[in-house]
């Protein structure tokens, strides 16, 4: 096959030509993969070939080795490993040869391909000579070969994990990279490639950072690079510093003063990309110290691995003025541009983090700046002052802040209505939102909102909702937190008298003509949701009145036909917001009997609308509509049966949606809701549901987070249908059993421990539901053969000693359910289990009430089982 | 120039309402699942079908009783607290009793006046009668006393309390009420609501439970006069904020039932099973017939009697958690009377009385009387012994309570925090 021509055609502007070419590439790949890959690498290596085809060859090679989706990636890795070794070494030889190509596109693509191959082979202990041959390249002339090699080393460090490469080779890589970075390297491209490579290699340098001499050397070279005349090198060097600040926080003490001087000069004088990284260094130090201090829980207990060096606190007198200066460097229109990011924004963000890190200490450093600038004629000064004030509201103690807020509030309300500048108003509304977010609520004794100013606050916020979209969005946000501040308070909320007016204004916002292009509509609906969630008994009739209004809105989205794909997306987004709003309303009204009763008059119509929302789409179901249906099923109870014939196919579609796993997870939850609502009336749909759930479990394409809820869902169904579950028992039990075996032992990081516990919980909930479902039926004996394994599972996870309280509660409950349902058939098995003794006793004396309650139940059930 | 990912939400709160909706849905589903399981477990099985193995108890005036029954006939089996389950199964009576006794929230006796009485506490007059759990489920209602024995099995207007198909009572629904059955007018006075219509109130504050009780009970028709489908009347009791006028109303106010002391409930406390200092009982002669404990014949013994549990190394302790040590039993007595760890023993308090150092019990003059009645599930609590001791020597008077509210009024400007343990 003449691969050059095909690769050429694959980039043709003529669609038919392109399609044909892609088709033949695909065929070639399917029929003869080794030959295909080899000819691509040959193309890439051949200096005679055009740049375009070499580049595309490299790209296809790269895509043949890696993919974003986990399961696809796994397949590609297996496929490469299974290829014949001779073919592979030919390919690899081509790749290494291409690295020295003078053509930039060729060697640059190749360095990425090599890193991908290394990512697969090095963990398998294959291609041992790779690093050696790369390192020998470093001393090569010409410079472009050196550059390509350093880039390859960088990518390689990004691909493979540090434990794959032995320390000796790490040392050599770092030596080569750091030498390439140093000032003595005359070639800018080489120095830049080396600096970027170091960024990726830092994770390998644990041992080297523990060695004072080596660390000093690396730090000196990095700091020197921040002073390079080349802006890209300075930027890359600061990126290294940022990475060092989080990876080697505890090693920074000797360098922090120098770094402060370097960063502070960069923030004040350097070009924006460099200045942004310099600010990011301090933000990153804040992240570290916030984490450490959080772990301390306020005082040093020696539990934390890393001590806090209080770099921020020490730098505070110099750091805060530097950050305040950045606030004055706003760009015009930055509030209209979603993607904007500039020095003022980075500096402001950092100031907020500093406030969280040091708390009260920041207040006296910021307040004079606010006072001095807040009334200045230049909008930049007023905006900066307001931003500074808003950013210190999270961190310092309320006692310290509330007196300031009480003074500032009137001024801010007036600025929000009267300031001539939109940026100032935007930031003022945002700062008000921060006041409500952090300083309202029951934990705070001193009131900010009083009978006297509540009316004014609401009026100003509602008025600002008519302002420019960005200001109106921030005003909605402020109202969101204002409402949240009164959530769950026993007394009538001070917002109650304004409920109607607030809802009306929010609905008006959603109809603004300019609402389409910003986040404003979303913000308005989110605020409406929060206002409804936090509403009290007094306003329940008004929430009820909202139902037909939102239904009408949803109805309207279903009328316009023949939409362009862009319009369709907008329509779907709006439907999402409206379904979300209905969900919140259903949940609110369904929670108390009187309102639920009145609400029920709308149930048929609402369900009709949801079904139409589903019908607008072809392949997927709307997640928000699904969530809302779950709430509706819970409120409706057994009557939900009448909707099932029509709803069922969407339920199935949701369960099949592996790509959008959130949709799948939500649908699984809804199956649970429906089981509890319908009880035995769900039987006609069980075959379909159970088949799909079992399929989902056995798929490696489904996101793992959906699997625990699927098991819990087995329990929900079994509890609903009772002995009818017999049909699925064998399949369900075998799926449960293999998952149980896998989840008994955990080896891994915190995230894996958490996942395993959620998996155990799902499995145990399934067992509980099954036992309780079969209780008092003539078929309980069907469960006896499974009992030994279940008890063994309980004993197994008990011995592992890594259960959380949730699993403990569910597990001991299963022991009770087993005893309760099987009675004396299981008595000797139970008595032989560790769970019935040590585990039960441990749970009985647990501090956690739920664990204790389950344990008492288990104890009772066991004592009856063994006494009969 | 794009920012670091977690710096994105510039001037925008890091909230996603959609994520919040998802999480709230999950929370609701988890709660519903828990309720469904709990219901399957507790109601269908333990409370309704548990054989009434406990001996029918003698009539008692009060659940806060001392020994109302004389020494049991025989003491064939001794049992300890840490029996293995096999042995415990043979002793079903006490086990059942203990299990049920553990389901109720048991007030401590008021031995000193809590801070912030007026702000944080409710007060109401306790009806005299039998404390029991009333459970409605699957079309029937059962009341069980503290010792697990069934008092009545009857239809009621509580949700799921009678077999009438009005469509409202789904199989998921059930109620658990904490009541006192008042013989004279054959009424269940509801003093607390634990579950209502399938909704668990265990984790709710007293404030909420009482609010719920008052609105729901009336609404259900359970307060109506008895009828074919509703055999006994239910009634809420008037609950007051424990300020000056509330305390006065509870103490002197006219109620349709015989009073047996006052109950104080901390507004913020959850329904906590077992002994709790967040609910308190207090009595004097004006508001109770049963201030000083009587013996089996209904007479007041000349010396105060207490029941204590015998522990390893001869220690005598109360039922509190952790137990309070009252003294040690003579080894001779243990051997002669064949006593074992875990036995509940009866003592009189001799003339030496109880002595305290820094508010802590230092010494008690105990005179061994014998084993306690088998119907007893627990030893006395520390607060009970102390209250009885104070009643006999220097009682806490209603005036003391009123005075404490008054003095608290004076210092209202410096409220101190209380730590909730519930």
């Amino acid at each position: 096959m003449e691969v050059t021509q095909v690769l050429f055609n694959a980039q043709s502007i003529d669609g038919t030509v392109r399609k044909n070419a892609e088709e033949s590439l695909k065929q070639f790949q399917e029929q003869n993969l080794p030959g295909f890959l080899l000819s691509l690498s040959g193309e890439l290596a051949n200096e005679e070939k055009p740049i375009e085809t070499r580049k595309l060859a490299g790209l296809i090679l790269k895509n043949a080795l890696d993919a974003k989706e986990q399961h696809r990636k796994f397949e590609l890795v297996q496929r490469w490993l299974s290829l014949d070794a001779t073919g592979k070494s030919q390919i690899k030889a081509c790749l290494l040869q291409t690295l020295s190509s003078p053509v930039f596109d060729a060697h640059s693509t190749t360095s990425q391909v090599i890193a991908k191959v290394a990512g697969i082979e090095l963990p398998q202990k294959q291609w041992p000579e790779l690093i050696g041959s790369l390192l020998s390249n470093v001393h090569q002339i010409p410079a472009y070969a050196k550059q390509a090699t350093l880039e390859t080393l960088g990518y390689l460090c990004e691909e493979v994990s540090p434990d794959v490469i032995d320390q000796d080779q790490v040392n050599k890589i770092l030596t080569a990279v750091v030498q390439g970075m140093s000032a003595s390297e005359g070639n800018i491209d080489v120095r830049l490639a080396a600096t970027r490579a170091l960024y990726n290699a830092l994770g390998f340098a644990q041992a080297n950072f523990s060695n004072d001499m080596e660390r000093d050397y690396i730090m000196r070279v990095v700091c020197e690079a921040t002073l390079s005349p080349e802006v890209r090198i300075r930027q890359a060097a600061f990126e290294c510093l940022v990475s060092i600040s989080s990876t080697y926080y505890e090693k920074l003490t000797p360098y922090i003063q120098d770094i402060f001087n370097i960063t502070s000069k960069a923030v004040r004088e350097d070009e924006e990309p460099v200045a942004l990284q310099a600010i990011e260094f301090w933000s990153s130090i804040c992240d570290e110290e916030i984490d450490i201090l959080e772990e301390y829980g306020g005082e040093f207990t020696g539990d934390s691995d890393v001590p806090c060096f209080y770099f921020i606190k020490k730098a505070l007198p110099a750091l805060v003025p530097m950050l305040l200066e950045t606030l004055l460097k706003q760009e015009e229109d930055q509030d209209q541009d979603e993607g904007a990011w500039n020095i003022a924004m980075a500096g402001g963000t950092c100031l907020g983090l500093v406030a969280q890190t040091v708390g009260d200490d920041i207040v006296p450093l910021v307040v004079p700046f606010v006072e001095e600038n807040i009334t200045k004629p230049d909008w930049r000064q007023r905006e900066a002052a307001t931003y500074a004030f808003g950013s210190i509201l999270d961190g310092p103690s309320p006692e310290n802040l509330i007196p300031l807020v009480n003074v500032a509030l009137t001024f801010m309300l007036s600025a929000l209505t009267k300031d001539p500048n939109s940026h100032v108003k935007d930031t003022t509304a945002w700062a008000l939102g921060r006041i409500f977010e952090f300083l309202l609520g029951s934990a705070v004794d001193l009131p900010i909102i009083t009978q006297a100013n509540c009316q004014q606050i609401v009026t100003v916020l509602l008025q600002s909702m008519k302002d420019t979209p960005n200001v109106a969005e921030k005003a909605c946000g402020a109202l969101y937190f204002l409402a949240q501040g009164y959530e769950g308070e026993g007394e009538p909320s001070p917002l109650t008298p304004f409920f109607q007016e607030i809802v009306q204004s929010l609905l008006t916002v959603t109809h603004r003509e300019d609402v389409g292009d910003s986040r404003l509509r979303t913000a308005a609906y989110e605020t409406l949701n929060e206002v409804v969630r936090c509403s009290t008994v007094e306003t329940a009739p008004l929430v009820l009145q909202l139902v037909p209004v939102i239904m009408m809105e949803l109805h309207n989205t279903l009328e316009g036909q023949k939409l362009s794909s862009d319009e369709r997306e907008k329509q779907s987004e709006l439907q999402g917001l409206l379904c979300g709003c209905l969900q919140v309303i259903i949940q609110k009204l369904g929670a108390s009997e009187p309102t639920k009763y009145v609400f029920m008059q709308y149930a048929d119509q609402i369900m009709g609308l949801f079904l139409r929302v589903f019908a607008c789409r072809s392949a997927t179901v709307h997640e928000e509509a699904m969530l809302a249906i779950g709430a509706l099923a819970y409120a409706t109870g057994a009557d939900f049966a009448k909707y099932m014939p029509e709803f069922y196919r969407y339920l199935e579609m949701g369960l099949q949606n592996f790509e959008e796993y959130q949709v799948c997870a939500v649908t699984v939850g809804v199956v649970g809701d429906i089981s509890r609502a319908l009880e035995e009336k769900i039987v006609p749909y069980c075959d379909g549901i159970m088949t799909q759930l079992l399929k989902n479990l056995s798929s490696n394409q489904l996101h793992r987070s959906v699997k625990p809820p699927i098991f819990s869902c087995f329990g929900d169904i079994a509890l609903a249908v009772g002995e009818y579950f017999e049909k699925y028992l064998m399949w369900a039990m075998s799926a449960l059993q293999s998952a149980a075996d896998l989840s008994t032992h955990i080896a891994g990081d915190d995230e894996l421990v958490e996942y395993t516990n959620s998996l155990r919980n799902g499995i145990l909930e399934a067992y509980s539901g099954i036992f309780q479902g079969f209780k008092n039926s003539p078929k309980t004996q069907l469960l006896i053969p499974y009992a030994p394994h279940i008890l063994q599972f309980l004993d197994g996870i008990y011995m592992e000693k890594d259960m959380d309280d949730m699993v403990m509660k569910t597990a001991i409950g299963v022991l009770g359910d087993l005893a309760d349902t099987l009675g004396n058939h299981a008595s000797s098995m139970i008595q032989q289990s560790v769970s019935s003794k040590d585990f039960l006793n441990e749970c009985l004396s647990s501090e956690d009430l739920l664990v204790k309650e389950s344990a008492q139940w288990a104890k009772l059930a066991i004592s009856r089982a063994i006494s009969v | 120039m794009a920012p670091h990912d977690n710096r994105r939400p510039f001037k925008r709160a890091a909230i996603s309402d959609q994520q919040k909706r998802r999480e709230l849905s999950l929370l609701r589903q988890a709660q519903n699942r828990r309720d469904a399981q709990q219901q399957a477990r507790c109601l269908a099985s333990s409370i309704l079908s548990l054989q009434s193995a406990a001996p029918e108890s003698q009539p008692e005036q009060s659940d806060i009783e001392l020994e109302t029954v004389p020494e049991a006939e025989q003491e064939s089996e001794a049992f300890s607290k840490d029996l293995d389950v096999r042995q415990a199964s043979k002793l079903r009576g006490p086990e059942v009793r203990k299990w049920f006794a553990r389901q109720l929230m048991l007030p401590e006796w008021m031995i000193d006046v809590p801070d912030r009485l007026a702000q944080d506490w409710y007060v109401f007059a306790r009806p005299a009668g039998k404390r029991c759990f009333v459970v409605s489920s699957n079309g029937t209602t059962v009341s069980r006393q503290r010792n697990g024995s069934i008092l009545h099995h009857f239809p009621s207007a509580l949700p799921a309390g009678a077999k009438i198909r009005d469509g409202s009572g789904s199989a998921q629904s059930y109620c658990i009420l904490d009541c006192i059955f008042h013989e004279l007018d054959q009424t269940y006075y509801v003093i607390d609501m634990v579950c209502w219509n399938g909704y668990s109130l265990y984790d709710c504050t007293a404030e909420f439970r009482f609010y719920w009780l008052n609105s729901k009970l009336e609404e259900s028709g359970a307060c109506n006069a008895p009828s074919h489908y509703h055999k006994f009347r239910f009634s809420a009791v008037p609950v007051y904020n424990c300020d000056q006028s509330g305390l006065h109303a509870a103490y002197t106010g006219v109620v349709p039932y015989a009073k047996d002391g006052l109950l104080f409930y901390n507004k913020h406390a959850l329904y906590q099973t077992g002994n709790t200092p967040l609910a308190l009982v207090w009595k004097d002669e004006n508001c109770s017939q049963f201030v000083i404990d009587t013996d089996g014949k209904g007479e007041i013994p000349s010396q105060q009697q207490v029941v204590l549990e015998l522990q390893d190394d001869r220690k005598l302790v109360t039922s509190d958690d952790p137990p309070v040590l009252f003294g040690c039993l003579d080894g001779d007595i243990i051997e002669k009377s064949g006593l074992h760890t875990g036995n509940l023993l009866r003592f009189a308090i001799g003339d030496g009385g109880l002595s305290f150092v820094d508010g802590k019990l230092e010494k008690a003059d105990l005179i061994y009387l014998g084993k306690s009645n088998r119907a007893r599930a627990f030893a006395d609590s520390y607060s009970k012994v102390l209250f009885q001791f104070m009643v006999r020597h220097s009682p806490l008077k209603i005036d003391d309570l009123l005075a404490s509210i008054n003095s608290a009024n004076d210092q209202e400007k410096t409220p101190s925090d209380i730590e909730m343990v519930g």
Side-chain angles (χ1 to χ4, degrees), chain B residues 101-306:
Chain B
R102 278 191 196 115
Q103 303 316 300
L104 286 164
M105 177 153 93
L106 304 176
E108 281 190 14
W109 291 71
M110 188 187 284
I111 47 184
D112 52 40
V113 186
D115 291 331
R116 293 174 59 84
L117 202 53
Q119 290 82 27
D120 289 333
W121 294 77
Y122 287 125
V123 62
F124 60 91
R126 183 192 184 282
K130 294 176 183 134
R131 175 92 181 271
C132 52
F133 249 142
V134 175
V135 179
S136 69
S137 145
N138 281 328
T140 184
T141 308
V142 175
S143 57
R144 280 182 183 274
Q145 299 183 60
R146 260 186 81 184
N147 62 13
S149 64
I150 291 179
L151 182 63
H152 299 120
H153 199 140
F154 62 104
S156 76
L158 294 173
K163 288 194 170 50
I164 24 171
R165 282 243 71 72
D166 58 2
S168 68
S170 84
Q172 296 285 336
S173 98
Y174 64 99
C175 299
I176 303 177
L177 304 177
D178 186 347
C179 298
I180 292 173
F181 184 67
H182 189 251
E183 283 285 348
L184 206 65
D185 60 358
Q186 295 283 298
T187 299
Y188 280 99
Y189 286 97
V190 185
I191 60 167
D192 211 331
M193 188 174 264
V194 183
C195 289
W196 183 262
N197 214 350
Y199 178 68
S200 166
L201 294 154
Y202 276 101
D203 295 329
C204 302
T205 61
E207 198 161 20
F208 183 80
R209 296 197 310 274
F210 286 179
Y211 160 75
W212 200 256
L213 190 163
N214 275 309
S215 53
K216 294 292 159 188
L217 193 68
E218 183 64 45
E219 196 179 290
S220 70
C223 301
N224 297 346
S227 65
H228 183 66
Y229 285 114
H230 181 53
K231 202 167 160 208
F232 293 99
R233 204 164 68 90
F234 286 76
S235 176
V237 294
V239 175
Y240 304 96
N241 282 316
C242 192
D243 50 23
Q244 184 113 54
S245 65
L247 180 56
H248 193 259
Y251 184 65
T252 58
V254 178
V255 281
Y257 51 83
K259 288 184 197 173
D260 182 16
L262 299 181
L263 282 170
F264 297 80
Y265 275 60
N266 186 298
K267 292 178 184 176
H268 313 295
L270 310 183
Y271 194 94
Q272 185 191 341
T273 58
N275 288 326
T276 169
L278 296 176
L280 297 168
V281 60
W282 173 91
K283 302 176 175 188
D284 70 9
E285 272 79 3
N286 290 326
C287 67
S288 172
Q289 290 177 265
F290 319 102
V291 180
I292 301 188
D293 280 336
T294 52
D295 64 15
K297 297 169 204 95
E299 283 164 14
I300 295 177
S302 59
Q303 287 178 313
Q304 180 184 350
Q305 298 191 1
V306 297

Side-chain angles (χ1 to χ4, degrees), chain A residues 581-595:
Chain A
C581 185
L582 283 170
Q583 186 215 339
V584 170
I585 295 176
I586 295 169
Q587 201 150 333
K588 183 79 191 177
L589 296 176
S592 99
E593 288 296 322
T595 50

Side-chain angles (χ1 to χ4, degrees), chain A residues 144-192:
Chain A
Y144 57 75
K146 198 165 174 181
Q147 178 195 353
T149 305
L150 286 166
E151 276 170 7
T152 311
L153 286 170
Y155 291 133
L156 187 147
C157 291
E158 198 178 3
E159 285 299 324
V160 305
S161 78
D163 54 328
V164 166
I165 301 181
D166 61 45
Q167 185 60 41
D168 182 43
Q169 287 195 316
V170 169
N171 292 341
K172 286 181 184 151
I173 293 174
L174 283 170
T175 308
V177 168
V178 178
Q179 271 172 9
M181 266 180 88
S182 70
S184 61
E185 172 60 53
N187 185 301
I188 288 178
D189 290 328
V190 171
R191 201 173 169 201
L192 179 62

Side-chain angles (χ1 to χ4, degrees), chain A residues 296-308:
Chain A
Y296 279 9
E299 60 186 298
F300 186 75
T301 57
D303 289 346
S304 175
D305 296 338
V306 181
C308 186

